[in-house]
Amino acid sequence: MPDSSMTPPERTVAIACDHAGVTLKATLKQDLAAHGYAVIDLGTDGTQSVDYPDYADALAATIADGRAGKGVLVCGTGIGISIAANRNPAVRAAVVHDVETARLSRAHNDANVLALGARVTPEAQARDCLAVFLTTPYEGGRHETRVAKLGPRNSPNPSAPARQAGG
Ligand code: RB5
Protein backbone atom coordinates (compact mmCIF):
# COMPACT_ATOMS: atom_id res chain seq x y z
CA MET A 1 0.00 0.00 0.00
CA PRO A 2 1.41 3.45 -0.88
CA ASP A 3 2.58 5.58 2.05
CA SER A 4 -0.02 8.34 2.60
CA SER A 5 2.64 10.78 3.80
CA MET A 6 4.38 10.45 0.41
CA THR A 7 1.25 10.37 -1.75
CA PRO A 8 -0.63 13.37 -3.19
CA PRO A 9 -4.09 14.00 -1.71
CA GLU A 10 -5.88 13.00 -4.92
CA ARG A 11 -4.39 9.52 -4.52
CA THR A 12 -5.07 9.39 -0.78
CA VAL A 13 -8.36 8.23 0.74
CA ALA A 14 -9.24 8.44 4.42
CA ILE A 15 -11.48 5.76 5.88
CA ALA A 16 -13.28 5.50 9.20
CA CYS A 17 -16.19 3.69 10.79
CA ASP A 18 -17.99 2.98 14.02
CA HIS A 19 -18.31 -0.47 15.58
CA ALA A 20 -21.00 -1.46 13.07
CA GLY A 21 -18.66 -0.90 10.15
CA VAL A 22 -15.42 -2.57 11.23
CA THR A 23 -15.62 -5.63 8.98
CA LEU A 24 -16.71 -3.70 5.91
CA LYS A 25 -14.05 -1.05 6.53
CA ALA A 26 -11.34 -3.72 6.53
CA THR A 27 -12.56 -5.03 3.18
CA LEU A 28 -12.85 -1.58 1.63
CA LYS A 29 -9.39 -0.68 2.89
CA GLN A 30 -7.98 -3.64 0.98
CA ASP A 31 -9.89 -2.55 -2.11
CA LEU A 32 -8.49 0.97 -1.86
CA ALA A 33 -4.97 -0.41 -1.73
CA ALA A 34 -5.72 -2.67 -4.69
CA HIS A 35 -6.87 0.43 -6.61
CA GLY A 36 -3.48 2.00 -5.81
CA TYR A 37 -4.60 4.51 -3.20
CA ALA A 38 -2.76 5.41 -0.05
CA VAL A 39 -5.12 4.94 2.90
CA ILE A 40 -5.42 6.90 6.11
CA ASP A 41 -7.25 4.53 8.46
CA LEU A 42 -8.79 6.43 11.36
CA GLY A 43 -10.44 3.46 13.06
CA THR A 44 -12.38 2.21 14.83
CA ASP A 45 -10.98 -1.30 14.74
CA GLY A 46 -12.87 -3.21 17.37
CA THR A 47 -16.39 -4.19 18.22
CA GLN A 48 -16.56 -2.01 21.32
CA SER A 49 -19.38 0.50 20.94
CA VAL A 50 -18.18 3.96 19.89
CA ASP A 51 -19.81 7.22 18.82
CA TYR A 52 -19.81 7.68 15.04
CA PRO A 53 -19.51 11.53 15.16
CA ASP A 54 -16.01 11.18 16.60
CA TYR A 55 -14.88 9.15 13.59
CA ALA A 56 -16.73 11.36 11.12
CA ASP A 57 -15.02 14.42 12.58
CA ALA A 58 -11.58 12.82 12.31
CA LEU A 59 -12.19 11.93 8.69
CA ALA A 60 -13.62 15.35 7.83
CA ALA A 61 -10.46 16.94 9.23
CA THR A 62 -8.31 15.01 6.74
CA ILE A 63 -10.41 16.37 3.88
CA ALA A 64 -10.41 19.90 5.27
CA ASP A 65 -6.65 20.05 5.80
CA GLY A 66 -5.82 18.42 2.46
CA ARG A 67 -4.31 15.17 3.72
CA ALA A 68 -6.92 13.20 1.76
CA GLY A 69 -8.81 14.01 -1.41
CA LYS A 70 -11.67 11.64 -0.67
CA GLY A 71 -13.08 9.73 2.26
CA VAL A 72 -15.07 6.61 3.02
CA LEU A 73 -17.28 6.31 6.11
CA VAL A 74 -19.13 3.25 7.34
CA CYS A 75 -21.67 2.91 10.14
CA GLY A 76 -24.76 0.73 10.46
CA THR A 77 -26.81 2.68 7.97
CA GLY A 78 -24.39 5.31 6.67
CA ILE A 79 -26.85 7.93 7.87
CA GLY A 80 -25.53 9.08 11.22
CA ILE A 81 -21.91 9.16 10.15
CA SER A 82 -22.74 11.14 6.97
CA ILE A 83 -24.82 13.67 8.90
CA ALA A 84 -21.90 14.15 11.24
CA ALA A 85 -19.32 14.51 8.45
CA ASN A 86 -21.44 17.03 6.57
CA ARG A 87 -21.16 19.47 9.47
CA ASN A 88 -17.66 20.18 8.18
CA PRO A 89 -17.91 22.65 5.26
CA ALA A 90 -15.11 20.86 3.39
CA VAL A 91 -17.21 17.71 3.16
CA ARG A 92 -19.90 16.60 0.74
CA ALA A 93 -20.77 13.17 2.09
CA ALA A 94 -23.31 11.04 0.24
CA VAL A 95 -25.07 8.01 1.65
CA VAL A 96 -25.06 5.51 -1.17
CA HIS A 97 -26.89 2.19 -1.52
CA ASP A 98 -26.08 0.99 -5.02
CA VAL A 99 -23.79 1.71 -7.95
CA GLU A 100 -26.23 4.17 -9.52
CA THR A 101 -26.40 6.38 -6.44
CA ALA A 102 -22.62 6.03 -6.12
CA ARG A 103 -22.18 7.18 -9.71
CA LEU A 104 -24.60 10.09 -9.36
CA SER A 105 -23.05 11.23 -6.09
CA ARG A 106 -19.86 11.88 -8.01
CA ALA A 107 -21.23 12.94 -11.41
CA HIS A 108 -23.88 15.37 -10.14
CA ASN A 109 -22.94 16.22 -6.55
CA ASP A 110 -19.13 16.07 -6.64
CA ALA A 111 -19.33 14.11 -3.39
CA ASN A 112 -15.94 13.75 -1.75
CA VAL A 113 -17.02 11.29 0.95
CA LEU A 114 -18.78 7.99 0.36
CA ALA A 115 -20.96 6.84 3.25
CA LEU A 116 -22.09 3.23 3.43
CA GLY A 117 -24.31 1.26 5.78
CA ALA A 118 -22.79 -2.07 6.73
CA ARG A 119 -26.12 -3.32 8.09
CA VAL A 120 -28.14 -2.41 5.02
CA THR A 121 -25.82 -2.84 2.03
CA PRO A 122 -24.35 -6.24 1.15
CA GLU A 123 -20.56 -6.34 1.08
CA ALA A 124 -20.25 -7.05 -2.64
CA GLN A 125 -22.57 -4.13 -3.41
CA ALA A 126 -20.63 -1.83 -1.11
CA ARG A 127 -17.40 -2.79 -2.86
CA ASP A 128 -18.97 -2.02 -6.23
CA CYS A 129 -20.14 1.33 -4.87
CA LEU A 130 -16.59 2.16 -3.82
CA ALA A 131 -15.14 1.24 -7.22
CA VAL A 132 -17.67 3.44 -9.00
CA PHE A 133 -17.21 6.28 -6.54
CA LEU A 134 -13.45 6.27 -7.14
CA THR A 135 -13.65 6.21 -10.92
CA THR A 136 -16.58 8.48 -11.75
CA PRO A 137 -15.64 12.08 -12.58
CA TYR A 138 -17.72 15.10 -11.62
CA GLU A 139 -19.68 16.28 -14.67
CA GLY A 140 -19.67 19.97 -13.81
CA GLY A 141 -21.73 21.98 -16.31
CA ARG A 142 -25.27 22.53 -15.08
CA HIS A 143 -24.31 21.09 -11.71
CA GLU A 144 -21.71 23.77 -10.99
CA THR A 145 -24.07 26.44 -9.66
CA ARG A 146 -25.96 23.88 -7.58
CA VAL A 147 -22.88 22.41 -5.99
CA ALA A 148 -21.59 25.93 -5.36
CA LYS A 149 -24.81 26.65 -3.46
CA LEU A 150 -23.97 23.78 -1.12
CA GLY A 151 -21.08 25.87 0.11
CA PRO A 152 -21.30 27.80 3.37
CA ARG A 153 -21.28 31.24 1.74
CA ASN A 154 -24.54 30.45 -0.05
CA SER A 155 -26.63 29.56 2.92
CA PRO A 156 -30.26 30.63 2.34
CA ASN A 157 -30.51 31.31 6.05
CA PRO A 158 -29.05 34.77 6.75
CA SER A 159 -28.87 34.02 10.44
CA ALA A 160 -26.81 30.89 9.85
CA PRO A 161 -23.32 31.20 11.30
CA ALA A 162 -20.64 32.03 8.77
CA ARG A 163 -18.34 29.13 8.09
CA GLN A 164 -15.08 28.94 6.21
CA ALA A 165 -15.18 27.63 2.66
CA GLY A 166 -13.21 24.44 2.40
CA GLY A 167 -13.79 22.36 -0.68
C1 RB5 B 1 -24.88 2.01 15.87
O1 RB5 B 1 -25.63 1.07 16.57
C2 RB5 B 1 -25.70 2.67 14.78
O2 RB5 B 1 -26.66 3.50 15.34
C3 RB5 B 1 -24.80 3.45 13.84
O3 RB5 B 1 -23.87 2.57 13.30
C4 RB5 B 1 -25.47 4.11 12.66
O4 RB5 B 1 -26.29 3.21 11.98
C5 RB5 B 1 -26.13 5.40 12.89
O5 RB5 B 1 -26.59 6.07 11.96
Side-chain angles (χ1 to χ4, degrees):
M1 186 183 304
D3 178 353
S4 66
S5 67
M6 306 286 287
T7 308
E10 61 271 19
R11 296 299 302 169
T12 301
V13 177
I15 191 165
C17 67
D18 73 358
H19 52 283
V22 169
T23 302
L24 182 57
K25 175 169 76 70
T27 299
L28 298 180
K29 186 178 171 182
Q30 289 180 350
D31 284 354
L32 286 167
H35 286 289
Y37 288 88
V39 180
I40 301 173
D41 185 350
L42 298 159
T44 191
D45 294 310
T47 53
Q48 184 178 352
S49 184
V50 296
D51 297 333
Y52 54 79
D54 298 335
Y55 294 86
D57 286 349
L59 184 134
T62 70
I63 302 288
D65 68 21
R67 277 179 286 156
K70 287 192 175 71
V72 179
L73 289 169
V74 187
C75 70
T77 60
I79 296 171
I81 207 161
S82 64
I83 292 171
N86 276 320
R87 294 174 302 160
N88 187 312
V91 169
R92 287 180 301 281
V95 187
V96 155
H97 295 104
D98 50 40
V99 293
E100 182 62 357
T101 48
R103 184 183 71 78
L104 289 169
S105 77
R106 287 287 312 128
H108 289 189
N109 310 114
D110 198 19
N112 55 8
V113 174
L114 174 72
L116 291 160
R119 292 174 177 160
V120 296
T121 303
E123 181 185 272
Q125 201 164 309
R127 295 177 71 190
D128 289 345
C129 288
L130 175 61
V132 167
F133 182 80
L134 293 172
T135 54
T136 303
Y138 173 48
E139 280 179 13
R142 73 184 192 278
H143 304 293
E144 290 282 10
T145 52
R146 300 161 187 171
V147 170
K149 286 181 179 180
L150 297 175
R153 298 218 170 117
N154 290 287
S155 170
N157 177 0
S159 64
R163 296 188 292 176
Q164 287 187 332

